[in-house]
Amino acid sequence: MTNHESLTRRDFMNGVGMGTAALLAGLPQAEAAPAMQSASDTFEPDVALELIALPRSVSLRPGRATSLWSYQSRVLKGDPASVQALPDSYLGPILRLRRGQKVRIDFINRLDQPSTVHWHGLHVPDTMDGHPRFAIGPGELYRYEFEVRNRAGTYWYHPHPHGHTGEQVYFGLAGLLLVSDEEEQALPLPRGQYDLPIVIQDRSFDDGNQLRYLSGTGPTARGDASGAPSAPGNTMGGRGMMGGMMSRGAMMSGGMGDMMTRMMGFLGDTILVNGRPESLIEVATHPYRLRILNGSNSRIYKLAWQDGRPLTVIGTDGGLLERPVHKDYVMLAPAERVELWADFSKDDLGTQLTMMSLAFEGAMGRMMDMMGGSFMGGAMGGSSLAAGVRFPIFTVKVARKANGSLELPDRLSAISWPRLQDAVNRAKPRTFRITMAQMQWGFNGRSFEMTAVAPNEVVKLRTTEVWEFANDSGMMTMAHAIHVHDQQFQVPERRHGMGNNRVRDGYVDQGWKDTVLVMPGDRVKLLMRFADYPGLYLYHCHMLEHEDLGLMRNYRIEA
Ligand code: C2O
Ligand code: CU
């Protein structure tokens, strides 16, 4: 049953040859491998897990099962509750960790393409962060080891290989990683059955129940060189937008529809919650903690209860807020999390309440909005659910009486914030402008390079800085979701672009963030401190097609 047996000695050496320090120790075949000195010699894990990415089929709709990729995990050492599988879902199991725990995760790649695992939102050494330079091939293993230093909160994990992150996440590779700590444990928050993860993703199915994405992608696309997704750069034959679209490379990798999807981002027409198409969640008359993750590749949600009751926000990407905040709606870009206190204790049995995504403009940029959703839908592989239209996401049905209740605490957390005046570059923030040239996205005109770092991408360890992201790419300006690895940051300032009035009350900038929605014309400042670990980390757009199309760069933290 163990997958270790089939890992060959050659696999080990390949892995070691990739220059990673802390991988591949401790397996049966490993004794003789010379490069086994590593962090592992001194790292004594409290929890050790195995995490396998593998093809799987799951029955999601009546008829044929859907071919997917999925994470499977089991506990090798430590608390058996560290891994909670989600039956009938393609989503990876929920990993439950505690602050201060030392964690070892042996990742085994059973896909037919390279992969890595990124622990989204966690503060870990750069060799443990899932950077694409550490991608392992089919049959190989990467040993991740880190101490959980983050606050209690809702984090997640997903692949991060070069050019294929969108594909691998879309076909099923993602899971929640929940961290708890003492401060959170001491609070009277809903627990157990009242603590509900809600992962929202959009997908498109073909008539045979298989997922539709860019041509030649996914678990059923095998070995067909012309159909395989080429590296983003290879499809960029032309000059400028039309030239690029019409170039032979673009046509070969799936034609104009694929090219548009890569540039604009994938939008599915079916909303899945927790990896299932059913959208009814039965609840009791009790307060709930809803941990909502936007796990979609590129879709932005404008969350609101259908009956107009406000959303009570208690947490963001990096954990609990200082105090609850009430919002009419919350904008949730890909990879962002929001935690809600949802109290159904005064609702009658049988009450149904739907979480909507409300209408808004600007996701596709002003020009595209004017051209109309149907045009964009058509160009993007037939999605009939355009960006920014109104649709239901899930419905809760109050189905039973609960014993006892809880009061919403009025203080949730004590936070010591970095201060703007402590930033070494407060007078002159580092500016990153989102650009589009030669059919590739970039920051300040630079697209992703595996290890390169530009002069404005080097920072000093143990300093605090302000970074400003400016969303102005001319005609191609559209919404982006900026994510910085290794950090939880503050959003001290947001200058709103024109026409963003229907989204601007939906930002929860009071909390720790690792991903931030930057609407067309916006300029958003991030305040962060580079602590503990020097090294090479990523920053990028978390609309995964944008990321795969170059909207990603390294930054280096220098000791
Ligand atoms: Cu969740 Cu670099 O990603
Ligand atoms: Cu983007």
Side-chain angles (χ1 to χ4, degrees):
M1 181 57 211
T2 157
N3 291 274
H4 290 160
E5 274 90 61
S6 53
L7 287 169
T8 64
R9 169 63 188 260
R10 200 185 118 261
D11 292 334
F12 282 124
M13 299 320 291
N14 283 348
V16 171
M18 298 180 79
T20 58
L23 70 169
L24 308 176
L27 293 170
Q29 298 89 338
E31 289 90 348
M36 217 51 70
Q37 92 300 339
S38 70
S40 300
D41 290 346
T42 52
F43 191 91
E44 258 304 314
D46 303 306
V47 183
L49 313 177
E50 177 183 75
L51 184 71
I52 307 175
L54 76 180
R56 195 183 147 199
S57 61
V58 180
S59 187
L60 294 176
R61 315 211 304 176
R64 216 175 126 203
T66 305
S67 297
L68 295 149
W69 286 319
S70 191
Y71 285 121
Q72 248 172 38
S73 181
R74 61 187 179 121
V75 179
L76 304 174
K77 177 188 172 190
D79 185 353
S82 309
V83 170
Q84 179 193 350
L86 300 174
D88 307 321
S89 173
Y90 58 80
L91 283 181
I94 300 176
L95 307 184
R96 294 180 180 273
L97 303 174
R98 284 191 297 277
R99 187 175 198 172
Q101 267 180 337
K102 288 187 170 167
V103 183
R104 167 181 293 164
I105 303 174
D106 283 337
F107 168 58
I108 298 167
N109 180 2
R110 295 274 168 225
L111 310 177
D112 56 7
Q113 54 178 255
S115 196
T116 66
V117 189
H118 172 53
W119 319 99
H120 182 116
L122 294 195
H123 174 55
V124 298
D126 73 337
T127 52
M128 299 296 138
D129 193 49
H131 189 284
R133 73 191 189 279
F134 299 128
I136 56 165
E140 295 179 348
L141 180 151
Y142 195 103
R143 170 161 287 179
Y144 293 95
E145 290 175 332
F146 52 85
E147 183 187 322
V148 179
R149 295 200 174 181
N150 286 68
R151 307 172 70 227
T154 304
Y155 305 92
W156 63 301
Y157 60 100
H158 63 76
H160 222 303
H162 178 43
H164 292 265
T165 297
E167 177 188 1
Q168 292 186 12
V169 172
Y170 183 78
F171 284 98
L173 294 171
L176 286 170
L177 193 163
L178 306 184
V179 174
S180 64
D181 64 16
E182 282 169 16
E183 185 190 43
E184 181 209 38
Q185 290 297 309
L187 279 173
L189 292 175
R191 291 183 211 293
Q193 60 167 314
Y194 303 124
D195 180 349
L196 277 188
I198 295 185
V199 180
I200 306 171
Q201 296 175 307
D202 59 335
R203 297 290 185 265
S204 288
F205 293 87
D206 67 15
D207 294 341
N209 287 347
Q210 302 311 299
L211 292 179
R212 284 195 294 129
Y213 189 57
L214 301 167
S215 10
T217 56
T220 55
R222 299 218 180 279
D224 170 8
S226 64
S230 41
N234 297 346
T235 63
M236 307 302 146
R239 292 221 176 108
M241 188 164 159
M242 297 319 287
M245 273 180 198
M246 295 309 158
S247 75
R248 197 163 148 267
M251 297 314 287
M252 278 173 60
S253 69
M256 185 157 158
D258 272 11
M259 199 56 234
M260 285 303 282
T261 300
R262 286 160 157 280
M263 285 171 51
M264 308 303 291
F266 174 88
L267 296 176
D269 53 22
T270 305
I271 305 298
L272 303 186
V273 171
N274 294 334
R276 299 292 312 170
E278 305 82 23
S279 67
L280 193 73
I281 301 172
E282 294 200 339
V283 298
T285 53
H286 197 273
Y288 279 75
R289 177 181 188 175
L290 305 183
R291 303 175 184 254
I292 304 181
L293 160 67
N294 180 354
S296 308
N297 278 31
S298 283
R299 185 179 290 278
I300 301 164
Y301 300 88
K302 181 178 177 179
L303 303 175
W305 291 118
Q306 188 174 27
D307 68 354
R309 67 175 78 178
L311 299 167
T312 303
V313 180
I314 58 169
T316 49
D317 304 341
L320 294 170
L321 301 176
E322 290 180 295
R323 297 167 180 282
V325 169
H326 302 283
K327 292 272 186 188
D328 289 336
Y329 62 89
V330 166
M331 299 304 300
L332 205 65
E336 284 188 302
R337 286 86 73 205
V338 66
E339 295 196 25
L340 304 179
W341 175 281
D343 189 353
F344 307 114
S345 56
K346 297 195 178 62
D347 289 302
D348 295 331
L349 285 184
T351 301
Q352 297 208 8
L353 186 61
T354 298
M355 179 67 78
M356 302 294 298
S357 187
L358 301 182
F360 65 97
E361 290 103 39
M364 287 294 167
R366 230 81 48 220
M367 182 189 77
M368 294 300 177
D369 280 353
M370 280 184 316
M371 289 159 83
S374 56
F375 166 78
M376 283 316 299
M380 293 199 298
S383 174
S384 55
L385 199 59
V389 301
R390 179 186 165 98
F391 57 86
I393 303 171
F394 64 88
T395 297
V396 291
K397 180 178 179 188
V398 182
R400 54 185 192 279
K401 285 263 173 229
N403 300 320
S405 192
L406 288 171
E407 288 295 318
L408 173 65
D410 144 89
R411 283 208 72 96
L412 296 164
S413 182
I415 295 175
S416 57
W417 299 107
R419 295 171 312 167
L420 205 48
Q421 64 260 37
D422 297 335
V424 291
N425 65 341
R426 64 189 172 278
K428 200 172 172 295
R430 244 173 241 277
T431 302
F432 300 92
R433 199 165 76 83
I434 297 164
T435 50
M436 159 64 78
Q438 261 80 56
M439 310 289 285
Q440 287 214 58
W441 291 106
F443 290 106
N444 297 326
R446 294 188 180 93
S447 293
F448 182 63
E449 300 169 88
M450 189 58 93
T451 53
V453 185
N456 74 326
E457 294 170 324
V458 181
V459 301
K460 285 236 160 2
L461 188 65
R462 288 185 285 274
T463 62
T464 299
E465 286 209 6
V466 195
W467 288 15
E468 183 174 52
F469 286 87
N471 187 1
D472 171 14
S473 333
M475 187 177 83
M476 290 305 295
T477 305
M478 60 177 292
H480 297 282
I482 300 300
H483 170 47
V484 184
H485 280 222
D486 196 44
Q487 302 299 329
Q488 291 291 331
F489 50 75
Q490 260 188 285
V491 183
E493 187 187 307
R494 211 187 258 274
R495 298 227 307 266
H496 299 280
M498 267 175 29
N500 293 338
N501 298 337
R502 291 176 79 188
V503 301
R504 59 189 294 171
D505 295 330
Y507 302 119
V508 189
D509 287 340
Q510 291 91 336
W512 289 108
K513 300 284 298 165
D514 55 50
T515 309
V516 71
L517 175 58
V518 187
M519 290 295 283
D522 280 8
R523 298 181 78 95
V524 179
K525 284 189 180 149
L526 314 182
L527 180 64
M528 55 195 142
R529 181 163 177 82
F530 307 101
D532 305 316
Y533 309 121
L536 194 68
Y537 292 97
L538 299 165
Y539 66 99
H540 61 90
C541 179
H542 219 290
M543 295 169 105
L544 298 179
E545 290 73 34
H546 295 179
E547 170 184 335
D548 285 341
L549 197 57
L551 195 43
M552 173 157 79
R553 292 286 302 173
N554 291 302
Y555 75 97
R556 194 170 64 234
I557 306 176
E558 277 186 355

